[in-house]
Amino acid sequence: MSTDARGWTMSFNPGRDARFRLVCFPHAGGSAGSFFPLVRAAPPGLEVVGVQYPGRQWRRTEPAVTDIHALARGAADALLAERDLPTAVLGHSMGALVAFETVRLWQQERPGAVGHLFASGSRAPSRPREEDRRARWTDERIIAELRALGGTGDRLISDREALQQALPALRDDYRALAAYRPSPGARVKVPLTVLVGREDPKAGPEHAAHWRPHTDAAFEFRVLPGGHFFLDENAAELLDLVQFSLVMPPHP
């Protein structure tokens, strides 16, 4: 594993034989390590890079950033220094919005750097959100919601020390989500695939089509089995989609 100089990104499987790259943006309260299931399932030649927001894991002593656009700016600056490889971007939940804004920045500063955007488990940028009230919830109520979401939430709750470290980051991310407003008509110019969990109570299949106006290129959505953290149990299928998108980009 290797990190960039400022700690914004970690390459989990760096190597000179990499032919493609997948850059992953984590959910609210999450970290780069949230994508270990994808790393374990990654085929040869696919480098997986996780984005690390300030205020968690090796960046826990840094002040939190409670602005989606500022998170995108930091990630974009760090990733612009990466060596050229055909690249897809994946963002899950809050990470889908940070990824969306990061790709928009790249389009201005390094056209062609990204070949495909995967937005997972998230309502579209233009849709209303409820995180303004979640930032004021008690710890007990936040823990109850994590338990209801299952998957990663269950694993976090079972580790009390990790949970206590994650709660402040989660509140900060809720504030970032509550304050987020996309630019009018904000869209990307790359193909966009929206991934949703069939049983996701936060951003289920009924929300997927709302992403359509946010790309000028090809659009599709896939419904996968599972709840909000459906990526963990569908890693192999997701990676097949990523590889296919980079080898055979879809036509508009």
Side-chain angles (χ1 to χ4, degrees):
M1 295 187 290
S2 64
T3 60
D4 70 272
R6 296 168 56 209
W8 273 93
T9 63
M10 170 174 278
S11 176
F12 293 104
N13 53 346
R16 295 186 180 277
D17 60 341
R19 295 180 291 115
F20 309 104
R21 177 181 295 117
L22 175 64
V23 178
C24 303
F25 291 74
H27 56 275
S31 65
S34 304
F35 296 101
F36 277 132
L38 291 184
V39 178
R40 289 193 291 267
L46 179 64
E47 178 187 16
V48 180
V49 175
V51 173
Q52 188 74 295
Y53 310 137
R56 61 210 76 193
Q57 288 190 336
W58 64 82
R59 305 189 69 186
R60 62 184 175 275
T61 61
E62 299 179 40
V65 175
T66 56
D67 181 278
I68 296 293
H69 295 282
L71 288 170
R73 178 73 271 169
D77 288 346
L79 289 160
L80 284 171
E82 295 281 354
R83 65 192 177 99
D84 288 335
L85 283 175
T87 297
V89 172
L90 164 71
H92 183 67
S93 199
M94 182 187 88
L97 303 178
V98 185
F100 173 76
E101 295 294 346
T102 301
V103 172
R104 293 185 67 232
L105 289 171
W106 275 346
Q107 288 173 169
Q108 302 167 24
E109 300 161 11
R110 189 174 162 184
V114 175
H116 205 107
L117 172 62
F118 291 87
S120 167
S122 172
R123 297 184 182 189
S126 55
R127 305 303 291 180
R129 324 195 108 71
E130 300 178 346
E131 275 74 10
D132 54 341
R133 61 184 179 84
R134 284 188 170 90
R136 300 189 295 270
W137 281 359
T138 63
D139 288 355
E140 289 73 20
R141 190 169 180 184
I142 291 175
I143 292 169
E145 180 175 74
L146 291 173
R147 184 175 288 110
L149 292 175
T152 297
D154 281 342
R155 292 196 295 275
L156 182 61
I157 292 168
S158 67
D159 186 335
R160 196 68 189 177
E161 182 178 349
L163 177 63
Q164 292 307 311
Q165 292 178 3
L167 284 171
L170 189 57
R171 290 184 188 279
D172 289 330
D173 289 346
Y174 283 163
R175 294 184 182 99
L177 284 163
Y180 172 65
R181 301 292 184 275
S183 301
R187 56 177 59 87
V188 294
K189 300 176 183 177
V190 298
L192 170 62
T193 298
V194 175
L195 307 169
V196 295
R198 187 173 291 114
E199 293 83 37
D200 187 349
K202 297 186 69 173
E206 68 275 17
H207 296 286
H210 296 154
W211 278 89
R212 180 65 188 90
H214 292 287
T215 180
D216 288 330
F219 172 81
E220 67 170 338
F221 70 86
R222 299 287 185 102
V223 179
L224 299 173
H228 188 61
F229 293 108
F230 63 91
L231 288 186
D232 291 358
E233 57 199 90
N234 294 281
E237 182 173 350
L238 168 63
L239 291 170
D240 284 345
L241 291 175
V242 169
Q243 277 209 300
F244 185 78
S245 75
L246 292 172
V247 175
M248 298 285 293
H251 296 289

